[in-house]
Amino acid sequence: MAPLAYRRLLAWSVAMKLSISVVGTGRMGSALARALLRSGYRTTVWNRTKQKAEPLATLGATVAGSVLEAVNAAEIVIVNVSDYQATAAVLHDDAVASAIRGKLVVELTSGTPHGARESAEWFAEHGASYLDGAIMATPDFIGTDAGTILISGPRQAFDANEEMFRALGGNVQHIGEEPGRANALDSALLALMWGALFGTLHAIAVSQAEEIDLGELARQWTATAPVVDGLVADLIKRTDAGRFASDDETLSSISPRITAHSSIFWS
């Protein structure tokens, strides 16, 4: 294909894609914007500190001077600020509320299931579609096949924009209609992650106190990890089935552990 024809085809492809605004361009928000730009989406960005958004202009993004300008420029508004309170501070404005009617808002800010439900209710009251998401990745995974984002809310809104979500990560999943589901599962998965990381810090401290080489710790963990992974999977599976006593499939009972943890949460 001749260079001129290729440029015209590329321009036509970009023109046919949805226009998207990213509100909040910290490390994660910038990664989201870069992934959209790489996939040819017309992307507008806004950040409270404008200098953080300006590097994206060199990649083809339009830097909006205000949140209202960013909302007006887009069919889909992706929000990635510090928390739901910050989202309310920048979007719960009369002019923005009016401009957001008929658009899709994708909230990728960290928060709670309750916060997600409140946010969904506010956007519904103002005529916008709403999807809530939890990013289970660091910024370097965004736009890659391994990038995982959990999305909850109306399935129709997700399916209609699946191509856009695939630009953000190869493992973007719709996990339920209830808007708080993504943040609830995020909290559960983070509990597993932080438990592992805090356990790692304790293991390092024990090894250093006993003058065990950390390379040896790493080697032994590599050998032990499959056992631990199996125990975690088994604990989830058996709890789901209500199988707490030992049976033909295992020699150990988990009932004392379940009882101990239950007493913490339900006493």
Side-chain angles (χ1 to χ4, degrees), residues 111-113 116-117 132 134 150 152 175 178-190:
T112 65
R117 289 188 279 268
D132 196 273
L150 308 178
S152 55
I175 60 168
E178 203 283 306
R181 178 66 62 86
N183 264 301
L185 190 52
D186 176 46
S187 296
L189 291 169
L190 287 178

Side-chain angles (χ1 to χ4, degrees), residues 31-53:
L32 295 169
R34 287 194 297 271
L36 293 169
L37 289 164
R38 284 195 300 270
S39 294
Y41 286 94
R42 291 172 288 160
T43 306
T44 299
V45 295
W46 176 87
N47 195 73
R48 183 177 57 183
T49 304
K50 190 176 181 181
Q51 290 84 346
K52 290 186 177 181

Side-chain angles (χ1 to χ4, degrees), residues 196-244:
L197 292 176
F198 287 136
T200 302
L201 290 172
H202 183 73
I204 290 171
V206 170
S207 298
Q208 290 178 329
E210 293 295 326
E211 298 182 349
I212 296 171
D213 182 75
L214 293 183
E216 178 67 14
L217 173 64
R219 285 189 292 274
Q220 295 302 332
W221 168 246
T222 299
T224 308
V227 177
V228 178
D229 289 343
L231 288 170
V232 171
D234 181 65
L235 181 57
I236 294 171
K237 178 181 176 181
R238 295 182 65 191
T239 302
D240 186 47
R243 291 173 41 241
F244 300 135

